[in-house]
């Protein structure tokens, strides 16, 4: 097709379909127009085919067609952006080959890293000093090109008169994990220029966001250290248009038939139980954990207050358990169901890999930000196995991400705050491999107390021998080995995905008065149940963090039923789960009361704190009796016996006080206060 004919067709198409949009764009001072490719196909199939084969020439023709219109402002440079390319033009990043060079394709992926915007030379004009001839050089390569000779025969240096600059920016696009089957995700460099790097589109393509990108594949020569060119070329995509994909409902096209199924599940007598049974059909038991995971998948409601304070709706959950109790299998299965899930293992993860890192940019020079797992799983799930195998410095990077749901970076001249509205499901092993049911939970996992505190629900998964249970579990496991096809839930995996995707994004229940009253009564009664010890120290059974967890769980329970209001029944379910967790992990065995200091990782429970205070008082009283002389250990043990503290307990407390510097031993068997 002749160029004139191409221009004519584009002119007719714009006139019929988007002339008002063109006028509006020019009026606003924009230098681009978005055309729908599916409309071009309907208008003229021949030109649509030519666009895919030779995009560069055709887009120039479209630009000329735009300039021919009688517009309110004169335009010198204008870009035509195409969207809605057919599925046949979709190429996976790992499948881009040399046959795609110069062709128009579209790909979708996740932005891993993004460079700063820098001006790039497109053309430069030079003047010949001998004859005054003007030479125009197109700058297509990485290296700045100057003319070597003029038409008059002159060689040597030429005078540069002017150069045309455009804004340029590089992206690194990585394949989305849901399109891969266990293979390593491949990456490609993408070059954006002109209006694609405007502040508006800048926000759409921040690291971690998923984008659909239309562009043309071109090659870039690799310059060797010697200055020559390599025989190997780099592939890069010159972007024509970038569209952000709606994160939450990705690829989740819910049909009317699916909606009927979703309503059917929500109206069943006990939807929570039904979903929990279908969650991991191949793992026996763990009913409470499965219920909690269903609520976690549904999530609470995110609230933004007028003063800008955000209350997270995501619930974080930690499973601590004996080896072989099915934790990793459970996590792997959730990674298949949860929306936008990313699975990682603690041993192979670092703080930078989980949050964000600053990397040297080879593409355009300088430094750029690369998003980590939690940022990439924004509005999705981050599933971390073997959390206890991570180093202390690395786990501390999770603090801000879990509570504030942002990640702040201040490194190498980059100060940035990235969003990570991510739900975290983590698993860890006890410190010594197996659970010691009589020791504090915090003493048994290699995690900071401040990190443990940020998890809404913590489930110890204990593997205790029990003849009846073991028989049932063994039959259950062996039955699956006999016939693996039996591990099927009542609800298919595909429907579970759609159910949770719908529930997370479309259902936003409000707290009902009855539900609020129920939670309030539980919270107040728990706070006052701590009881005051003899020394006047009160144990703390529950804190405001658990109160917020109760609200989130109640909202999730209402979401499961697709309800608009949270009822008393939903609150009771939340209370049941929180109470179960607190009783499992925060019970003071000596008093039978719940003490949050166990959960928070304080090495001393209220009972121990009380005993320590008593011993301190005894030492103080004996010192006064003996006129500040040193006190024999027998006297302290004798006085402690009267206060019902066993001799071995007294010796243990004295040892601790000695270690912490509250008392010292002038000579063996005698103590004195510091």
């Amino acid at each position: 097709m002749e160029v004139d004919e191409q221009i004519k067709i584009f002119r007719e198409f714009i006139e019929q379909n988007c002339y008002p949009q063109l006028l509006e764009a020019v009026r606003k001072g924009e230098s681009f127009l978005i055309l729908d490719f599916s409309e071009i196909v309907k208008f003229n199939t021949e030109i649509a085919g030519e666009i895919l084969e030779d995009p560069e020439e055709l887009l120039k023709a479209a630009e000329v067609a735009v300039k021919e219109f009688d517009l309110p402002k004169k335009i010198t440079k204008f870009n035509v952006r195409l969207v809605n390319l057919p599925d046949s033009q979709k190429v996976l990043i790992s499948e881009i080959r040399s046959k795609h060079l110069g062709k128009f394709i579209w790909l979708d992926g996740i932005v891993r890293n993004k460079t700063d915007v820098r001006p790039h030379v497109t053309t430069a004009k030079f003047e010949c000093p001998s004859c005054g001839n003007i030479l125009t050089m197109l700058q297509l390569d990485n290296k700045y090109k100057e003319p070597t000779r003029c038409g008059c025969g002159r060689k040597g240096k030429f005078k540069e008169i002017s150069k045309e600059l455009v804004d340029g920016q590089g992206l690194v696009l990585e394949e989305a994990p849901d399109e891969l089957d266990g293979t390593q995700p491949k990456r490609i460099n993408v070059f954006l220029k002109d209006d694609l790097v405007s502040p508006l589109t800048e926000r759409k393509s921040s690291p971690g966001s998923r984008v659909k990108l239309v562009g043309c594949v071109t090659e870039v020569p690799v310059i060797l250290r010697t200055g020559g060119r390599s025989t190997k070329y780099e592939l890069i995509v010159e972007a024509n248009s970038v569209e952000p994909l709606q994160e939450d409902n990705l690829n989740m096209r819910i049909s009317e038939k699916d909606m009927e199924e979703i309503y059917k599940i929500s109206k069943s007598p006990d939807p929570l139980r039904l979903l929990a049974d279908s969650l991991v059909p191949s793992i026996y038991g763990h009913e409470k954990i499965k219920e909690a995971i269903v609520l976690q998948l549904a999530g609470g409601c995110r609230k933004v207050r007028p003063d800008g304070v955000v209350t997270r709706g995501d619930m974080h959950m930690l499973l601590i358990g004996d080896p072989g109790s099915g934790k990793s299998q459970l996590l792997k299965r959730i990674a298949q169901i949860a929306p936008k899930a990313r699975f990682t293992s603690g041993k192979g993860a670092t703080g930078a890999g989980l949050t964000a890192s600053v990397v040297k940019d080879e593409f355009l020079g300088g430094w750029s930000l690369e998003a980590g797992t939690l940022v990439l799983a924004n509005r999705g799930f981050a599933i971390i196995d073997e959390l206890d195998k991570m180093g202390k410095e690395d786990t501390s990077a999770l603090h801000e991400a879990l509570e504030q749901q942002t990640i702040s970076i201040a490194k190498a001249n980059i100060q940035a705050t990235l969003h990570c509205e991510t739900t975290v499901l983590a698993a860890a092993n006890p410190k010594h491999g197996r659970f010691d049911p009589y020791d504090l939970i915090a003493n048994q996992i290699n995690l900071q107390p401040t990190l443990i505190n940020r998890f809404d629900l913590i489930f110890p998964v204990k593997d205790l021998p029990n003849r009846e249970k073991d028989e049932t579990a063994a039959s259950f496991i062996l039955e699956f080995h006999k016939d693996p096809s039996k591990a099927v839930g009542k609800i298919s995996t595909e429907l579970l995905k759609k159910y949770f995707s719908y529930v997370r994004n479309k259902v936003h229940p409000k707290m009902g008065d009855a539900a609020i009253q129920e939670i309030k009564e539980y919270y107040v009664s728990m706070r006052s149940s701590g009881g005051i010890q003899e020394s006047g120290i009160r144990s703390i059974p529950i804190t405001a963090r658990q109160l917020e967890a109760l609200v989130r769980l109640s909202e999730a329970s209402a979401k499961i039923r697709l309800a608009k209001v949270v009822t008393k029944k939903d609150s009771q379910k939340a209370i049941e789960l929180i109470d179960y967790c607190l009783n499992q992990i925060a019970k003071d065995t000596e008093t039978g009361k719940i003490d949050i200091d166990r959960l928070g990782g304080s090495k001393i429970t209220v009972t121990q704190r009380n005993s320590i205070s008593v011993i301190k008082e005894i030492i103080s009283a004996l010192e006064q009796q003996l006129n500040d002389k040193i006190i024999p250990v027998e006297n302290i043990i004798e006085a402690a016996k009267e206060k019902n503290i066993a001799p071995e307990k007294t010796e243990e407390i004295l040892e601790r006080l000695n270690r912490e510097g509250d008392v010292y031993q002038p000579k063996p068997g005698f103590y004195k206060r510091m």
Side-chain angles (χ1 to χ4, degrees):
M1 195 187 286
E2 291 296 315
V3 177
D4 293 346
E5 203 179 330
Q6 291 170 353
I7 295 170
K8 185 173 165 238
I9 291 169
F10 273 118
R11 190 183 160 90
E12 283 173 15
F13 174 76
I14 292 168
E15 214 158 16
Q16 287 180 26
N17 293 282
C18 46
Y19 189 59
Q21 287 93 308
L22 174 63
L23 290 175
E24 183 66 14
V26 174
R27 191 182 63 75
K28 284 182 181 171
E30 291 172 351
S31 62
F32 66 95
L33 178 68
I34 296 169
L35 301 184
D36 190 328
F37 189 81
S38 57
E39 295 291 327
I40 297 175
V41 173
K42 286 180 203 167
F43 184 75
N44 187 318
T45 47
E46 192 185 343
I47 202 144
E50 284 190 24
I51 289 174
L52 300 178
E53 287 305 309
D54 189 5
E56 206 170 318
E57 289 303 314
L58 270 287
L59 289 170
K60 276 181 187 164
E63 192 182 325
V64 173
V66 169
K67 287 178 181 173
E68 283 184 0
F69 282 104
D70 186 17
L71 297 167
K73 284 184 190 172
K74 191 174 184 322
I75 49 172
T76 50
K77 191 163 178 48
F78 205 83
N79 293 311
V80 174
R81 307 280 176 215
L82 294 175
V83 294
N84 266 350
L85 260 68
D87 285 348
S88 57
Q89 292 304 114
K90 183 181 181 182
V91 182
L92 290 176
I93 293 172
S94 53
E95 290 171 7
I96 294 177
R97 299 288 180 268
S98 53
K99 66 177 181 186
H100 294 116
L101 284 169
K103 301 282 189 293
F104 220 38
I105 61 165
W106 72 270
L107 19 116
D108 86 59
I110 288 162
V111 179
R112 273 314 293 256
N113 145 352
K114 186 172 173 182
T115 65
D116 290 338
V117 178
R118 290 282 175 269
H120 287 244
V121 182
T122 50
T123 52
K125 289 184 178 177
F126 296 87
E127 186 184 32
C128 171
S130 304
C131 64
N133 198 5
I134 302 291
L135 305 169
T136 304
M137 294 295 289
L138 284 172
Q139 306 291 338
L140 300 172
D141 299 344
N142 279 353
K143 213 172 174 186
Y144 186 63
K145 268 168 70 177
E146 294 188 10
T148 48
R149 59 181 300 156
C150 174
C152 65
R154 178 189 155 86
K155 292 180 184 176
K157 202 98 174 111
F158 289 84
K159 185 186 173 191
E160 184 193 294
I161 309 170
S162 67
K163 53 182 179 286
E164 202 175 299
L165 295 163
V166 294
D167 287 326
Q169 185 177 36
L171 293 184
V172 176
L173 199 69
E174 183 181 87
E175 285 174 304
D178 52 13
E179 291 186 347
L180 306 170
D181 190 21
T183 54
Q184 184 194 344
K186 296 286 186 285
R187 299 176 174 192
I188 194 158
N189 283 328
V190 178
F191 185 61
L192 310 176
K193 62 182 183 186
D194 289 342
D195 54 277
L196 291 181
V197 296
S198 69
L200 188 67
T201 42
E202 176 93 344
R203 285 197 290 275
K204 293 178 187 170
S205 56
S206 55
S209 54
R210 191 164 175 173
V211 295
K212 179 179 174 180
L213 194 132
V214 175
C216 178
V217 184
T218 56
E219 77 279 12
V220 175
V222 176
I223 307 294
L224 297 169
R225 282 181 186 168
T226 53
R229 275 193 186 187
S230 165
T231 52
K232 186 181 85 172
Y233 279 76
E234 276 292 333
L235 281 177
I236 126 170
V237 175
E238 274 205 35
N240 175 266
S241 70
V242 179
E243 294 173 87
L245 284 174
Q246 193 52 43
E247 303 279 11
D248 338 301
N249 244 353
L250 271 185
N251 306 329
M252 282 291 156
R253 295 186 179 87
I254 300 172
S255 63
E256 284 184 22
K257 192 176 175 234
D258 294 329
M259 279 311 301
E260 282 172 23
E261 291 287 334
I262 288 170
Y263 280 123
K264 199 171 154 190
I265 295 168
S266 68
K267 295 292 175 270
S268 62
D270 190 355
L272 182 60
R273 185 74 264 142
L274 178 65
L275 289 161
D277 289 341
S278 308
L279 203 63
V280 197
S282 58
I283 293 179
Y284 173 76
H286 304 321
E287 279 77 15
K288 280 273 188 287
I289 295 173
K290 287 179 185 175
E291 279 186 10
I293 290 176
V294 169
L295 294 179
Q296 188 188 28
L297 283 162
C301 300
R302 191 168 185 265
K303 301 173 191 78
V304 183
R305 298 174 199 161
D307 61 353
V309 175
V310 176
T311 311
R312 66 180 162 97
D314 298 294
M315 284 174 268
H316 307 309
M317 204 163 120
L318 177 65
L319 308 177
I320 306 162
D322 297 330
S325 49
K327 298 187 307 297
S328 297
Q329 213 174 326
L330 195 71
L331 264 58
K332 282 276 188 200
R333 169 72 177 153
I334 302 307
Q336 294 173 346
I337 296 169
K340 207 180 169 192
R342 286 196 162 241
F343 182 92
T344 184
S345 182
K347 192 66 188 155
T350 62
L354 281 176
T355 53
S357 53
V358 173
V359 291
K360 190 149 182 57
D361 177 38
E362 303 296 332
F363 186 28
L364 294 177
W367 296 89
S368 63
L369 203 59
E370 188 157 311
T373 303
L374 290 168
V375 179
L376 295 174
N378 183 27
R379 308 193 75 168
F381 268 66
I383 296 164
I384 308 168
D385 201 3
E386 312 282 356
L387 187 67
D388 54 314
K389 308 292 184 294
M390 282 175 70
K392 287 268 191 293
E393 297 80 25
D394 296 330
T395 49
S396 62
L398 296 173
H399 287 172
E400 185 194 357
L402 287 176
E403 196 58 52
Q404 270 68 47
Q405 299 205 305
T406 54
I407 283 165
S408 304
I409 288 277
K411 289 177 186 173
N413 201 20
I414 287 181
Q415 280 87 29
T417 300
L418 303 171
H419 286 286
C420 68
E421 290 162 36
T422 310
T423 306
V424 175
L425 174 60
N429 286 111
K431 193 186 277 185
H432 304 297
R434 271 196 177 278
F435 254 119
D436 173 359
Y438 304 106
D439 195 4
L440 289 176
I441 283 274
N443 294 353
Q444 295 191 59
I445 47 169
N446 290 333
L447 290 177
Q448 293 132 310
T450 44
L451 183 65
I452 301 171
N453 231 324
R454 282 167 163 77
F455 287 98
D456 296 50
L457 290 171
I458 301 172
F459 285 98
V461 189
K462 294 174 184 171
D463 182 18
L464 302 169
N466 176 318
R467 191 173 178 81
E468 282 176 31
K469 267 191 182 175
D470 294 345
E471 266 186 28
T472 325
S475 314
F476 184 86
I477 294 164
L478 296 168
E479 196 63 42
F480 282 138
H481 280 281
K482 182 181 161 190
D483 183 8
S485 62
K486 281 191 175 178
V488 177
K490 292 173 190 169
I491 305 169
S492 68
T493 305
E494 200 52 42
L495 185 58
L496 277 174
K497 273 183 163 182
K498 287 179 178 175
Y499 191 92
F500 290 119
S501 186
Y502 178 78
V503 157
R504 280 180 83 84
N505 302 304
K506 299 281 187 262
V507 187
H508 305 289
K510 295 267 187 292
M511 289 296 289
D513 293 339
I516 288 173
Q517 193 57 33
E518 187 75 15
I519 292 174
K520 188 175 164 187
E521 281 172 16
Y522 172 74
Y523 181 72
V524 173
S525 68
M526 281 295 281
R527 289 287 287 186
S528 54
S529 72
I532 299 173
Q533 308 290 339
E534 287 171 38
S535 59
I537 299 171
R538 187 189 277 276
S539 70
I540 301 169
I542 190 169
T543 66
R545 267 209 171 123
Q546 278 74 35
L547 183 63
E548 290 205 338
L550 281 165
V551 173
R552 283 192 278 271
L553 285 162
S554 307
E555 287 169 344
S557 175
K559 275 186 171 188
I560 294 292
R561 298 183 295 104
L562 306 187
K564 288 184 179 172
V565 178
V566 181
T567 63
K568 187 176 179 178
K569 202 175 173 188
D570 297 318
S571 299
Q572 284 165 345
K573 186 81 233 172
I575 288 166
E576 181 194 320
L577 283 169
I578 291 272
D579 209 52
Y580 175 81
C581 282
L582 289 174
N583 274 306
Q584 290 278 316
I585 53 174
K587 199 174 231 178
D588 188 339
T589 43
E590 292 169 37
T591 61
K593 291 191 181 297
I594 290 172
D595 182 2
I596 204 74
D597 287 335
R598 274 181 166 256
L599 170 61
S602 164
K603 301 285 186 283
I604 310 169
T605 61
V606 162
T607 317
Q608 288 169 309
R609 276 208 303 262
N610 183 35
S611 307
I612 290 167
S613 305
V614 171
I615 298 290
K616 278 183 174 177
E617 281 170 18
I618 288 169
I619 295 170
S620 177
L622 288 171
E623 271 193 354
Q624 283 175 359
Q625 280 177 24
L626 299 169
N627 295 326
D628 279 356
K629 288 183 183 163
I630 54 174
I631 307 156
V633 73
E634 294 82 28
N635 293 21
I636 300 171
I637 290 171
E638 207 57 47
K641 262 188 192 170
E642 291 171 21
K643 300 269 188 185
N644 298 326
I645 299 174
E648 59 274 12
K649 189 83 183 281
T650 307
E651 284 172 7
E652 190 189 309
I653 289 169
L654 284 169
E655 186 57 44
R656 168 176 255 155
L657 290 172
N658 187 23
R659 218 172 33 243
E660 290 172 0
D662 290 318
V663 298
Y664 70 101
Q665 283 184 290
K667 55 183 179 177
F670 289 86
Y671 282 91
K672 190 165 179 17
R673 277 196 311 170
M674 288 294 267

